Amino acid sequence: MTNASGATDKPSAGDPIPPKCAVIEVHVGELKQLFNAIDPSPFRDKDLDPKAEEFIVGWAKDLPRDASLALMIDLDREAGLPDEAAVLRGAIHEFFSQRAEAYRRRLRELFRVGRTSLLIGVIALASAIALGDFIAGLMKGSRIGDIVRESLTIGGWVSMWRPLEVFLYDWWPIRNEARLSDRLAGMPVRIRYLNATAPDAWKGDWPAVSPRGERAGGEAQARVLNQAN
């Protein structure tokens, strides 16, 4: 997976790229290389290949947070089905939408754990302070009593480390990932055809059917595939 900067006069299809837009460029031989080969889901629900995801997300993170994003796929073949760019855009947008929702679920779970940890920590701290004062009172005037009280107080504050970690440090990287996924889920997607392979190479590539063909059912898919072959 490498970035490419092919000639601007190459044939292309898909969303128009707005001016002053930060373009993420990906160069592949076939569209199916962008997706996880072992994922059995229909192509609209397929996960991106981990390397493709890492490449796109990593490039996006290097760009300013307020930059408008776009994705340009440099493809080593000629154009295939008329709506393959729309199919690709839908699959990519769906993947990053699900990624954003997954990070939000993770954030909600983290806050739930944080609230529970905070309650436990406050109870432990209050109990440690109360117990330390009680022991120090029983051993009034004894240095050992003071040591026990200070030890219990320190232990009580140590019990607060987890909620403090959650609410001070752990939540904001997850929120940033969710926001980045939202930006990627809304970016324009365009395919630039480099015509580096033989004609009709698209017949063995993904997607093999259009969204209309998929919605039409299994028989319609078979007809389109037979026509392609």
Side-chain angles (χ1 to χ4, degrees):
M1 198 72 56
T2 57
N3 64 308
S5 55
T8 57
D9 59 347
K10 293 291 184 180
S12 61
D15 300 324
I17 304 299
K20 298 182 179 180
C21 191
V23 180
I24 301 170
E25 299 183 49
V26 178
H27 182 193
V28 292
E30 297 177 307
L31 290 179
K32 60 186 178 183
Q33 292 176 347
L34 292 170
F35 294 87
N36 193 333
I38 65 174
D39 187 352
S41 304
F43 57 77
R44 273 192 168 276
D45 299 322
K46 275 184 177 291
D47 289 341
L48 287 183
D49 180 84
K51 291 183 179 179
E53 177 188 359
E54 180 183 3
F55 183 83
I56 294 171
V57 171
W59 190 320
K61 286 181 178 179
D62 290 337
L63 298 172
R65 291 187 178 182
D66 58 347
S68 298
L69 302 178
L71 180 63
M72 177 69 76
I73 307 295
D74 283 331
L75 185 60
D76 285 338
R77 66 164 172 82
E78 63 181 11
L81 296 174
D83 52 0
E84 67 179 356
V87 175
L88 177 64
R89 177 191 62 214
I92 290 175
H93 285 185
E94 179 64 20
F95 172 80
F96 283 111
S97 294
Q98 293 181 5
R99 185 178 187 269
E101 182 55 32
Y103 274 109
R104 289 194 174 89
R105 286 196 301 268
R106 181 176 169 187
L107 186 60
R108 289 193 294 268
E109 177 64 17
L110 179 67
F111 281 141
R112 187 190 67 78
V113 171
R115 290 191 295 269
T116 302
S117 301
L118 180 60
L119 178 61
I120 294 172
V122 168
I123 294 173
L125 177 60
S127 300
I129 292 175
L131 181 60
D133 289 342
F134 176 74
I135 293 176
L138 291 178
M139 305 177 66
K140 190 174 182 179
S142 172
R143 186 167 182 81
I144 295 178
D146 293 337
I147 292 175
V148 171
R149 181 176 61 184
E150 292 299 325
S151 298
L152 289 170
T153 300
I154 292 172
W157 280 110
V158 169
S159 68
M160 294 289 292
W161 73 269
R162 180 53 180 159
L164 291 175
E165 184 180 42
V166 168
F167 292 114
L168 290 179
Y169 304 111
D170 286 353
W171 66 273
W172 57 267
I174 301 176
R175 184 201 61 178
N176 289 345
E177 289 289 347
R179 289 183 173 179
L180 176 61
S181 295
D182 284 333
R183 294 169 61 204
L184 293 170
M187 64 182 174
V189 178
R190 192 167 186 85
I191 303 174
R192 184 162 50 195
Y193 300 99
L194 303 183
N195 298 324
T197 57
D200 296 335
W202 64 271
K203 291 182 179 181
D205 193 7
W206 181 97
V209 297
S210 68
R212 293 189 297 275
E214 184 190 32
R215 288 194 296 268
E219 293 182 359
Q221 287 190 24
R223 287 197 299 270
V224 175
L225 288 171
N226 288 336
Q227 291 174 2
N229 293 323

